[in-house]
Structures are given as C-alpha cells and as structure tokens.
Amino acid sequence: MDLSQPVEENYANPKTCFFHVLFKASALAFYILSTLFANSFVIIFVITVVLAALDFWVVKNVSGRILVGLRWWNEINEQGESIWRFECLDQESLARINQKDSMLFWWTLYLNAVAWGIFGIFSMVRLEVDYLLVVAVCFSLAIANIIGFTKCRKDARNKIQAFASRTIASRFSSTLQSAFSLV
Amino acid sequence: MSNSHSDTIPLHPSSQSDIDEIENLINASVQSGPATVLPARPPSPPRASIPVSSNPFIQSQIPPPPPQSSSSNQKVPSVAAAPPPPSVGNSSRIAATGFGPAPNTLTEPVWDTVKRDLSRIVSNLNLVVFPNPYREDPGKALRDWDLWGPFFFIVFLGLTLSWSASVKKSEVFAVAFALLAAGAVILTLNVLLLGGHIIFFQSLSLLGYCLFPLDIGALICMLKDNVIVKIVVVSVTLAWSSWAAYPFMSSAVNPRRKALALYPVFLMYVSVGFLIIAIN
C-alpha cells in the first residue's frame, strides 16, 4: 500500500474523461475555426450551441456522476416551491475516487468557462453582436454547471462532517456507557 | 482508584476499538477533502435520524458502470436495497410518487438517463400543449420542468424561419433566437414584478413548450408559400399557443392583474406570428 502511493495512478474512467473533454473542446474549436468550415452564421451558431448543450448534459448527468460522484437537480415540491437537490456517493466511495479524474473534471470545467469569457470579451470589443450571442449562451451553460457542482461539493462536505460528528457523538456516548458499566 | 492509575487500567476490548474509530473519525472530519478520508472499517449504514434535506448517502454496491453498459436491471436491485428512510421529510414522498429521480440515480447506466430525459420532454409537451386533466391545476402540471424541450423548439423555429428567408438568413435566425429567449426571460420577470407566484425556470420552460404550435405553423408556412394559407395557419397556431399558455400565467397572478400578465405573452406570440408571415 505504501509502496504504490508515489506511483502515478492512471485515469480510472478514460472513456468518460474523453467524452467530458470532447464536447467542450469541439465547441471551442468549432467556434474558433468556424470561418474555415462554414460561411453561414446560422450553421456556426447552431452547431456551437448544440455542442455546448450536449457538453452540459454530459457533464451534468454522466461525468459528474462517474468522475466525482456528485449530482444536482431541481425539483418542485407539493407546495410549489423549488428545491435544489444534491446527491453524492457515500464516504467510502468518495474516498475511492481517482484523483486524476477529479482534477481533470474540475480543471476543464473552469478552463472552459474562462475560454468562453475571453471570447466574449473579444466579440464585445469587436462589436460583433451575433457572435456575442453564441458566446453568451455557451458561457451561461458553463457557469451553470460550475455553480451546480460547486454547491453540490460543498453540500457533500457538510453532510460528511455532520455524519462524522453525529457518529462521534453516538460513539462517545456508547463508550461512556461501556466505561461506566465497568465501574 | 486514584486518577494516576487511570491510564494503566486495561480497557474493555470494545472500548478500545471504539476509541480507534473515534480517532479515525476525528481525523476524517478535520481533514479538508473527502478524498483523503480513510475509513478504518466499512461505515455504518445511514441512520434514519439524520435530518438531511436531500437524499441520504447512497451506498454504491457496485463500482460505477462504464458508459456502454446496457443492463438496466441493475437499477432495480439497487433501488430496492436503498429505500429512503421514512423520517426524511419531502424527499422520500416525492421519490415514491415518481416526481423526482429514483433514489439511486448516481449509479444508473447512461442510457437510462437519456431515456428518462427524453420521456420527460414528451410528457411535459403533452401536459402543456394538449388538453389533459391537469390543466385546472397548473402548478402541478409542469412540476418536472426541463429546458431541453424549449431549447430545441426555439432553435427549430429559428432554423425554419431562417430557411424560409431568401435574404439575410443569419440576421433572421439571430433575431428570432434572441427575441424568443429574451422574451421568455422578460415575460417571467413581468409576472414576478406583478407580484405573481411563479418559479423562474418553470415559467421559462412553459413559455418554451408553448412555442410548439408556432413551430408547426412555421414548418407549414415554409412548405406552402401561399399568403392566405399562411395567415390562416398562423392564426390557428397563435390561438393554440395562447390557449396553452393561458392557465399557467393567469393562475400565477392576482385576478385583477391577469390581463397585465397575459397581454405581453400574447404580444410576443403575435410578433412571432408576423415574423412567420412576413418571411418570404
């Protein structure tokens, strides 16, 4: 166990990592190289936005689950109020999550949002409102995922701490009881 | 029994292991990331007394399946094995009535997720656009909102309009998309500012789904280029869209302000209708 720690572990879910990066990279690449592919703005818009939407779906439903064990969604309850729900794997499975997977997940999420932000600044400077629309849509999708998963991760940490402290309290009281039973 | 001897008294065997577990848990809660936690023994199953607002910890009995796995029956045993404890408030009732996702969605195969999302789009469409028993109670109908349907309908409408246009295709598409997207947001803000009770995303979802009749209208107008036909088709689909949007919008606001909430919706659909007719 100690000998294998310094060795670099490989990605545990290479296919999922690949898809996680694929749609983001192809949306960005298509946007950058758009003039090579198509003359019409409509095609650029539709394909970029569709790729960004697919990426949003993949991250939210597939790679979030598999790479970091988190999931978030919104529900509306009987009273008509909207509740944000966060789901995470239990502590043991969370400990088993591959570090590389998790780093890839979070870093690509942030870099994607930063890249779209930079493109947004470019199109604002050049006063290209059409392209600003594309960038706005892709940027908002990226931000939505970042916010959702960050909240989910915080919620997971709070749950683990609450669980641990509650378990400590109950174990402590049972230890006290067994200690007092000796005397 | 002086205090100085307390260290040398041999502990009860179970107390020693309990103390080990306490130390591990203290270390676990002090460390920052969940990835550094090393449980000394398998954690105890979630207790019914934990008052969490979301689903309790999900025991993943199997390692997460690869995306290509197609066995859907692995969802069934894991749902049966991890029933939500009855003392947790709304979440278990919602999961049991099928409004929210099943308790163990973290380990379900990808194909199940796709199927669930697609069926949700279809059911939302049926609820909003077609006559059904839930229309009297609009708050219940679009409970399971999603934005994929509206996204698809807006893009489809933009594409259809752009295809019908002989000149300035890009501008037509951009205008249609921006008009519909910004219009939906502004209409929702309008209802909220009138003091209505509506959930932002639910309303966006509703207004997007109500575009479905106009999508059909735009498609027909693209195929048949006769002005009379266009006017008739657009009027019919416009009326259909407004009829679909009416119960949700009107029930969200004070009855005296119903017209104030409904008029902008009607106006937006009329302007989209004009766009469809005017494109040639």
Side-chain angles (χ1 to χ4, degrees), chain B residues 69 174 182:
Chain B
S69 126

Side-chain angles (χ1 to χ4, degrees), chain A:
Chain A
M1 187 67 174
D2 288 342
L3 289 175
S4 66
Q5 291 288 35
V7 175
E8 279 261 329
E9 42 178 348
N10 279 325
Y11 293 106
N13 296 297
K15 253 190 286 200
T16 314
C17 290
F18 173 69
F19 276 107
H20 176 79
V21 177
L22 170 76
F23 288 120
K24 289 194 186 43
S26 45
L28 285 167
F30 193 84
Y31 180 79
I32 296 173
L33 304 173
S34 53
T35 44
L36 290 178
F37 284 113
N39 268 335
S40 144
F41 167 76
V42 177
I43 307 247
I44 297 172
F45 184 104
V46 171
I47 295 190
T48 311
V49 168
V50 164
L51 284 172
L54 280 175
D55 165 67
F56 177 84
W57 187 89
V58 164
V59 169
K60 182 165 182 287
N61 289 308
V62 177
S63 56
R65 274 195 285 134
I66 295 182
L67 295 182
V68 288
L70 298 170
R71 195 176 204 174
W72 59 276
W73 70 90
N74 177 283
E75 264 173 14
I76 300 183
N77 65 0
E78 304 281 336
Q79 285 80 27
E81 294 152 4
S82 93
I83 312 177
W84 292 95
R85 295 214 180 274
F86 304 112
E87 205 177 350
C88 66
L89 289 175
D90 61 1
Q91 191 173 328
E92 182 180 286
S93 311
L94 274 179
R96 271 198 271 133
I97 284 182
N98 192 335
Q99 275 304 311
K100 262 193 159 187
D101 277 357
S102 155
M103 292 263 292
L104 174 84
F105 179 85
W106 289 106
W107 273 103
T108 51
L109 221 54
Y110 292 134
L111 285 176
N112 186 38
V114 166
W116 283 116
I118 293 180
F119 287 142
I121 295 178
F122 280 168
S123 26
M124 265 196 288
V125 163
R126 285 194 220 158
L127 294 176
E128 287 169 347
V129 188
D130 297 352
Y131 287 96
L132 192 59
L133 189 60
V134 179
V135 173
V137 172
C138 297
F139 185 68
S140 52
L141 286 174
I143 291 287
N145 251 339
I146 289 182
I147 293 181
F149 275 109
T150 312
K151 279 198 170 165
C152 192
R153 184 167 60 164
K154 260 197 286 191
D155 189 74
R157 291 209 182 134
N158 288 342
K159 263 196 278 190
I160 288 177
Q161 290 198 344
F163 181 65
S165 60
R166 205 158 273 111
T167 315
I168 288 179
S170 65
R171 289 286 174 191
F172 189 60
S173 64
S174 76
T175 310
L176 275 181
Q177 283 174 359
S178 55
F180 276 122
S181 68
L182 295 175
V183 182

Side-chain angles (χ1 to χ4, degrees), chain B residues 40-53:
Chain B
R41 67 199 61 214
S44 52
R47 293 149 210 247
S49 59
I50 299 177
V52 291
S53 62

